[in-house]
Amino acid sequence: MASTESDMADLFVIGGGINGCGISRDAAGRGLSVILAEQGDLAQATSSASTKMFHGGLRYLEYFEFHLVREALKERETLLAAMPHISWPMRFVLPYSPGMRFESETPTSRLLGVVMPWMKGRRPAWLIRLGLFLYDTLGGRKILPGTSKLDLNTDPAGRWLKPGFGLAWEYSDCWVQDSRLVVLNARDAEARGATILTRTRVVSATRNGRYWDIVTEGEGGRKTWRARGLVNAGGPWVEDIIRNVACVPSTEGVRLVRGSHIVTRRLYDHDRCYFFQGSDGRIIFAIPYEDDFTLIGTTDKDHQGSPLDARCTDEERDYLCAFASQYFAKPVTAEDVVWSYSGVRPLYNDGAKSATAATREYVLSLDDGAGHDEAPLLNVFGGKITTYRRLAENALAKLAGHFPQAGANWTAGVALPGGDFPHDGVADLRLRLGSAYPFLTGAQVIRLVRTYGTDSFALLGEAKAWADLGPDFGAGLTGAEVDWLMRREFARSAEDVLWRRTRLGLHMNEEDVAALASWMERAKRREVPAA
């Protein structure tokens, strides 16, 4: 297309994961014009394959990454207040055994090996308690309760564990519905003026002085866009975009680290999580998941090949089963696994010896040409889901010299769509929704509030009975909900609905999925009226 100043965007963002959508929302809210292109669905790769937590990263303290942990801990409560529908507090039980060991290459392990060589890599109880004290205090905690000591001989959490675990500590972190977080950031960005293009691949990006020409290939064919700045938030593809799309020389790169998880039938009957420390020095979590399941993860393996080919290998599955079986009284076996998933973390390549030791700090690299006065390219390396909002703020700070018209920081505490109620107001919202729609079951009310928050009222509309919500696809999914997801949340396929906008795929059979896919195809052709 022939571009002019009037149709030139300020920023073109490549990548529809949490970093790309977070930056787009932040920039749009500052008054900048924004276009985002994602080659697949929003959150299709790394951002839907996390351990589903807003957390500081307790184990990163062993690597002395205090800045990372502190920033993440501060963000937990900021984010909790902005999205109490898709994030909520959870308590984590950390059982202790005198035989627990460090991973041998951590800075803490090496220091302890010098001053207390007789420990031979074991974790003393006082050191774990010191770490939890730091975890409670580094971030200025206000909402979440602090650490407490547990006697597993009497506490219900101990009933599910092997004999020998008498002492434990219980601390706080937060759950988050990761892929919904991405979609809600994209929705809010669009509401503030951004253009969101899914299933749109960036073919090339060419710098022409003070602007970029970007060519995309999508459902509408090939198009050319023009922007004053380019943000490369391609996640695992960030290095490929630098070299093969923007064709900019760079020595920076990413280390692709695969994190795999398994999902089993529910292994215990309480609502707390477990933090397990392994004999190899690593850690895993066991977390209540989607009511009927337990989520166990994660691994850390260097990944070769396409990020889209990431799968939980049999070796990783068996490792997680064996790890959890060191703690649970009833062994976890491969037969217990009902689903698994794997994502690739695009960590900044800092030359670390192992995937586990590679830094989790994000790096923002600004390239504004040889004379530092050309159209900027901002490359985003790494990042944690917990610090996405701060990453977006820092990205805009990096670009501030090129966009003096941009407004100030604004996202802290500003609710995402559906999250405009107090962080402790979930019970009240459930009561209001159940009262307004008395045909809903208690479980249906809980799921709708956890998924849509206050948007549940707009989704349900004038419905007076369950039948008013259109086809029932199973697991509580109705035509009205699917219609909402297609019109408001960029969903285009059954997979988008069942595995990213929700996790209802765990509860549906092949016939249910086929019926949903057929209905959505007809709806896209406008053969099915809005429910």
Side-chain angles (χ1 to χ4, degrees), residues 12-233:
F12 193 103
V13 179
I14 304 176
I18 187 54
N19 290 336
C21 291
I23 290 170
S24 297
R25 178 193 183 224
D26 191 317
R30 296 172 190 258
L32 300 181
S33 54
V34 179
I35 300 168
L36 178 144
E38 161 56 44
Q39 65 180 340
D41 182 31
L42 298 173
Q44 186 165 315
T46 306
S47 293
S48 61
S50 76
T51 313
K52 326 299 180 192
M53 292 194 299
F54 282 149
H55 68 126
L58 182 59
R59 73 181 180 90
Y60 303 147
L61 291 175
E62 291 187 11
Y63 293 89
F64 296 167
E65 295 209 41
F66 298 112
H67 173 267
L68 172 67
V69 175
R70 181 175 183 273
E71 183 177 57
L73 288 172
K74 290 176 67 176
E75 278 296 285
R76 284 186 316 184
E77 298 197 0
T78 299
L79 298 174
L80 178 62
M83 54 196 79
H85 51 330
I86 63 167
S87 180
W88 51 87
M90 297 188 82
R91 295 290 278 174
F92 287 74
V93 176
L94 194 164
Y96 175 74
S97 168
M100 290 175 176
R101 307 182 72 84
F102 283 104
E103 186 177 4
S104 60
E105 294 300 318
T106 71
T108 301
S109 180
R110 291 195 295 268
L111 178 60
L112 205 64
V114 172
V115 300
M116 300 177 66
W118 60 88
M119 293 300 296
K120 297 181 180 180
R122 293 191 298 273
R123 288 177 168 94
W126 64 262
L127 189 64
I128 294 176
R129 187 62 188 92
L130 174 61
L132 289 167
F133 170 77
L134 291 173
Y135 205 69
D136 279 347
T137 57
L138 277 175
R141 177 180 48 84
K142 296 179 181 177
I143 298 174
L144 300 174
T147 297
S148 59
K149 193 175 182 179
L150 297 182
D151 180 355
L152 293 177
N153 295 307
T154 57
D155 191 277
R159 185 163 67 90
W160 303 92
L161 303 180
K162 287 181 174 179
F165 294 105
L167 171 63
W169 290 277
E170 184 180 278
Y171 71 94
S172 292
D173 265 321
C174 294
W175 176 265
V176 63
Q177 304 206 60
D178 53 3
S179 48
R180 288 208 57 74
L181 173 66
V182 177
V183 170
L184 295 182
N185 270 271
R187 264 191 65 193
D188 202 41
E190 184 180 62
R192 297 174 190 277
T195 298
I196 307 296
L197 307 170
T198 62
R199 291 170 168 80
T200 302
R201 185 172 66 90
V202 175
V203 176
S204 67
T206 305
R207 181 188 271 143
N208 291 306
R210 295 186 179 275
Y211 58 84
W212 286 88
D213 281 329
I214 301 104
V215 179
T216 62
E217 189 79 47
E219 292 178 332
R222 182 166 289 216
K223 293 184 179 180
T224 301
W225 313 81
R226 181 164 287 184
R228 296 182 179 87
L230 182 65
V231 175
N232 173 12

Side-chain angles (χ1 to χ4, degrees), residues 2 63 99 110 113 125 174 184 191 210 267 292 295 315 321 327 390 405 423 439 469 494:
Y63 293 89
R110 291 195 295 268
C174 294
L184 295 182
R210 295 186 179 275
L267 299 177
D292 300 326
L295 172 66
E315 178 189 4
C321 288
Y327 284 83
R390 288 287 293 134
Q405 76 276 26
H423 70 85
F439 59 84
L469 298 175

Side-chain angles (χ1 to χ4, degrees), residues 297-444:
T298 179
T299 60
D300 272 315
K301 293 284 188 180
D302 284 310
H303 181 77
Q304 306 296 325
S306 169
L308 291 179
D309 293 336
R311 298 291 184 273
C312 179
T313 65
D314 290 349
E315 178 189 4
E316 289 175 296
R317 177 203 63 201
D318 293 344
Y319 170 82
L320 292 172
C321 288
F323 198 145
S325 297
Q326 295 176 41
Y327 284 83
F328 284 121
K330 181 181 179 182
V332 181
T333 69
E335 288 70 33
D336 296 318
V337 177
V338 298
W339 183 52
S340 65
Y341 65 90
S342 190
V344 176
R345 307 181 191 98
L347 306 181
Y348 186 73
N349 193 351
D350 62 353
K353 289 183 179 180
S354 70
T356 303
T359 182
R360 266 55 176 176
E361 288 271 18
Y362 58 80
V363 174
L364 304 173
S365 179
L366 182 65
D367 177 341
D368 46 11
H372 303 291
D373 60 354
E374 295 185 306
L377 165 64
L378 183 69
N379 296 306
V380 181
F381 297 92
K384 284 165 47 66
I385 198 167
T386 311
T387 51
Y388 88 90
R389 191 196 66 83
R390 288 287 293 134
L391 183 151
E393 282 188 344
N394 289 332
L396 270 296
K398 278 271 190 181
L399 293 165
H402 294 273
F403 300 100
Q405 76 276 26
N409 292 348
W410 65 275
T411 56
V414 176
L416 286 174
D420 52 339
F421 62 97
H423 70 85
D424 57 356
V426 174
D428 178 67
L429 180 57
R430 289 175 182 170
L431 286 173
R432 289 196 289 123
L433 189 68
S435 176
Y437 301 95
F439 59 84
L440 296 175
T441 67
Q444 288 165 347

